[in-house]
Amino acid sequence: IEIIMSVFMLLASLHFGLLYNSVVTRSSKIFKSPVIKFYLVTLALFALFITLDLYFTGHTNNLFTAFRHSIFQTLSMASTSGFATADTTLWPNLSILLLIYLTIQCGCSGSTTGGIKSDRVLIFLKSFKAQLKKHVHPNAVVPVRVGNHVIDKDIAVASAMYILIYVAFIFMGAMIFSLSGMDFIDSFSSSVAHMGNIGPAFGSVGVFDNYDHIPLFAKFISTIQMLLGRLEIYPLLMIFVIYKWR
């Protein structure tokens, strides 16, 4: 059952257009996509690091069990499915940190996932690499490439801006939750989970708990964050911009 769920969580976090094209044309073109490659490598590395962290910190004495829990929780967080087969709140700090990052990045554009999306993260990393080259060679023309495609400068800037705004909303939410009386791990992980529409977070709002005990005002902020994250921020903010323009 875990294997079947893991397979479909992975499929749900990939670009549906690429999935459809691969099925219709009966080809493996989807694995040639640089975004898909980046996303799959990220999942593999994170699952490996979490497996080793669980095993060597003594959380589990069985390497296979560590891998089984690691891959399931990794896919669950990245796909924003919200499922769990282990209490991740009790996991080592490194594993929790890696899972929190996955709840921020999540899957690919054109999928069912929330979060920033792997596409924007890859474009940001490629832009950062291009800027480093530009500093070394100021007069050089260094395009931002993702695979064989040259990314327009406006798209690169828009991706970086979205990431900045997304992270800013996470920190604002965490600040508000802290002011309402929640501790640090509850506040920060809750804010990340709400923006990504993950569901469970860590601490007292972990996978085996719920948000019933958090203050009413924090629940209201959580609702706004879930709307912002699911609508990818701009559509909700546009309501106020259009109203002001009118």
Side-chain angles (χ1 to χ4, degrees):
I1 291 173
E2 286 183 30
I3 293 173
I4 293 171
M5 292 179 69
S6 297
V7 169
F8 279 94
M9 284 192 293
L10 176 61
L11 291 175
S13 62
L14 302 179
H15 194 294
F16 280 10
L18 291 176
L19 281 175
Y20 176 79
N21 184 60
S22 297
V23 172
V24 170
T25 60
R26 297 182 181 180
S27 67
S28 58
K29 290 181 180 179
I30 188 171
F31 297 110
K32 296 179 181 178
S33 166
V35 176
I36 299 297
K37 288 180 182 178
F38 170 74
Y39 175 58
L40 294 178
V41 168
T42 302
L43 290 179
L45 288 176
F46 276 48
L48 175 62
F49 289 148
I50 292 173
T51 299
L52 296 176
D53 189 36
L54 292 176
Y55 182 72
F56 286 111
T57 56
H59 188 83
T60 176
N61 296 322
N62 189 306
L63 193 60
F64 176 74
T65 302
F67 176 74
R68 182 167 61 87
H69 286 315
S70 169
I71 194 69
F72 190 90
Q73 264 62 234
T74 296
L75 287 170
S76 178
M77 291 295 189
S79 64
T80 67
S81 302
F83 299 125
T85 56
D87 191 353
T88 53
T89 298
L90 303 177
W91 281 12
N93 291 332
L94 176 61
S95 296
I96 291 176
L97 185 63
L98 292 175
L99 289 177
I100 287 177
Y101 172 80
L102 281 177
T103 61
I104 296 175
Q105 175 184 294
C106 297
C108 306
S109 295
S111 69
T112 62
T113 66
I116 290 173
K117 305 291 191 304
S118 297
D119 310 58
R120 291 190 180 98
V121 175
L122 181 58
I123 291 173
F124 174 78
L125 292 175
K126 293 289 186 179
S127 301
F128 179 68
K129 182 180 178 180
Q131 282 299 314
L132 285 179
K133 289 183 178 180
K134 190 73 175 174
H135 279 285
V136 176
H137 305 286
N139 297 323
V141 177
V142 185
V144 178
R145 292 182 180 275
V146 176
N148 297 323
H149 300 281
V150 176
I151 303 299
D152 186 82
K153 184 179 179 181
D154 290 339
I155 295 176
V157 171
S159 297
M161 185 61 68
Y162 183 85
I163 293 173
L164 178 64
I165 294 172
Y166 190 96
V167 173
F169 273 111
I170 287 177
F171 277 97
M172 283 192 288
M175 262 193 323
I176 295 172
F177 294 149
S178 296
L179 290 173
S180 68
M182 297 170 64
D183 64 25
F184 173 75
I185 189 65
D186 288 4
S187 301
F188 183 72
S189 63
S190 294
S191 186
V192 172
H194 295 143
M195 284 297 295
N197 283 250
I198 309 295
F202 296 94
S204 66
V205 287
V207 292
F208 291 161
D209 295 289
N210 56 57
Y211 295 94
D212 181 62
H213 64 280
I214 69 173
L216 182 61
F217 182 67
K219 291 176 183 174
F220 175 73
I221 299 300
S222 301
T223 305
I224 296 175
Q225 279 192 304
M226 286 188 283
L227 281 172
L228 281 168
R230 180 49 65 184
L231 297 175
E232 297 206 335
I233 299 176
Y234 288 119
L236 198 61
L237 297 182
M238 282 289 289
I239 295 174
F240 301 100
V241 174
I242 292 173
Y243 177 77
K244 184 178 178 182
W245 176 72
R246 289 181 62 187

